[in-house]
Amino acid sequence: MRGRKSWLEAMRVLRHLEKDAEWGWVLVGELLPRHQRAAQAAAEQGLVELAGRETRAELSAYEDRPVRWAARLSPQGHDVLTFTDAGPAPASRHEGLAGGEMLIELYRAELEALSLYVHLAGRLRVPPAEGLADRVRTARQLGNRWSLWLTPDQIESVAYAFYLRSMGGCATQASRFAREYGLAFLMDPSEGCPRLTRLPGTRCTLPDARVTLTDEDTGDLLDDWPDDRWPPPPGCSAESSVACRTASFTACSSA
């Protein structure tokens, strides 16, 4: 680690000096001895380019004096510094709530499903919300979950991605997301198509539901929604009766 720190320090010095270098190379007399040694070591890792004999001869002619050593960052060295100095990814910001965003935490399988959804954006009739692909790409792992700060539109896209997965045979992700965040795409009998619906969730700062259902519609919806896909409302067990689920869903959808 100490060696790498010295490489990075020398590479930053090279990057700074290259900006004013007339020929694009940093010459031996422009570096401190320790920086030159570190740059030499970084060259062994492909992060720094050392001038060859022909290049040194050209530089000697330009400088009108012997140039015995010259170096510059390699393309990989530039990228290593850019990546290292970039700081935390955007997804780690903590001002999300002030910007109308909310922290969403996903397990690995859920993030993989969401990654597939954004990857297929150009082939889908309902594409992901703007900016979701970047948020997925910069998700930060904390323990066994990945954290994303998302806008309301992006959160709806997450619910839609899990809806697509649930219709393909795996409802675990959609059920947990609905149980924790209170959003799911369910069949709306009045429209004849699935719509975003607000459910009883353990987190209550998500957007209002896009669907308002009557008591009669709620009963039809529960009949169509398989028991093993329904997330139990808070205070109800996994074996909750239809009456328990109906009461909780009706109260939420009419709120």
Side-chain angles (χ1 to χ4, degrees):
M1 180 61 71
R2 183 176 181 181
R4 293 184 181 181
K5 288 183 178 180
S6 65
W7 299 348
L8 293 174
E9 180 182 351
M11 289 164 61
R12 291 188 179 98
V13 172
L14 280 176
R15 181 175 60 182
H16 175 73
L17 294 176
E18 279 183 25
K19 296 177 181 179
D20 298 324
E22 186 174 1
W23 315 114
W25 292 86
V26 178
L27 308 184
V28 61
E30 299 173 359
L31 289 173
L32 294 174
R34 62 186 177 88
H35 287 153
Q36 183 180 350
R37 291 192 298 270
Q40 193 82 25
E44 298 177 2
Q45 306 299 320
L47 303 177
V48 170
E49 294 180 6
L50 299 179
R53 178 178 300 178
E54 293 183 2
T55 301
R56 293 199 306 272
E58 293 178 0
L59 291 173
S60 296
Y62 295 144
E63 294 287 323
D64 196 24
R65 63 183 176 87
V67 174
R68 304 185 183 280
W69 187 94
R72 65 184 181 185
L73 289 180
S74 69
Q76 292 76 20
H78 276 286
D79 289 349
V80 166
L81 284 185
T82 299
F83 187 85
T84 302
D85 296 343
S92 66
R93 295 173 303 162
H94 294 286
E95 68 272 16
L97 292 178
E101 299 175 354
M102 178 179 175
L103 178 63
I104 300 296
E105 296 178 325
L106 303 178
Y107 290 106
R108 176 184 293 274
E110 295 167 344
L111 184 66
E112 290 174 350
L114 187 58
S115 298
L116 177 60
Y117 175 59
V118 298
H119 174 71
L120 297 173
R123 298 165 55 184
L124 299 172
R125 301 294 177 88
V126 181
E130 182 178 358
L132 180 59
D134 288 337
R135 299 302 175 92
V136 172
R137 178 177 54 83
T138 57
R140 299 285 296 219
Q141 183 177 4
L142 297 173
N144 63 345
R145 296 196 188 192
W146 276 257
S147 300
L148 304 84
W149 284 101
L150 302 181
T151 65
D153 287 344
Q154 292 167 349
I155 296 174
E156 293 179 13
S157 285
V158 176
Y160 185 70
F162 295 159
Y163 159 76
L164 297 180
R165 174 59 63 89
S166 71
M167 292 297 100
C170 179
T172 302
Q173 295 148 10
S175 294
R176 192 193 76 83
F177 193 77
R179 181 172 62 250
E180 187 162 345
Y181 296 101
L183 284 181
F185 274 82
L186 304 177
M187 186 63 184
D188 179 9
S190 64
E191 296 290 337
C193 63
R195 299 289 299 276
L196 183 68
T197 307
R198 180 70 177 269
L199 302 170
T202 58
R203 306 193 184 193
C204 304
T205 57
L206 291 173
D208 291 338
R210 296 297 190 271
V211 179
T212 301
L213 303 178
T214 65
D215 292 342
E216 180 179 356
D217 290 336
T218 301
D220 293 338
L221 175 61
L222 291 172
D223 291 339
D224 293 335
W225 187 255
D227 287 347
D228 60 353
R229 292 182 181 175
W230 183 264
C236 296
S237 66
E239 293 77 21
S240 301
S241 65
V242 171
C244 176
R245 298 198 305 274
T246 302
S248 297
F249 182 81
T250 302
C252 178
S253 60
S254 60

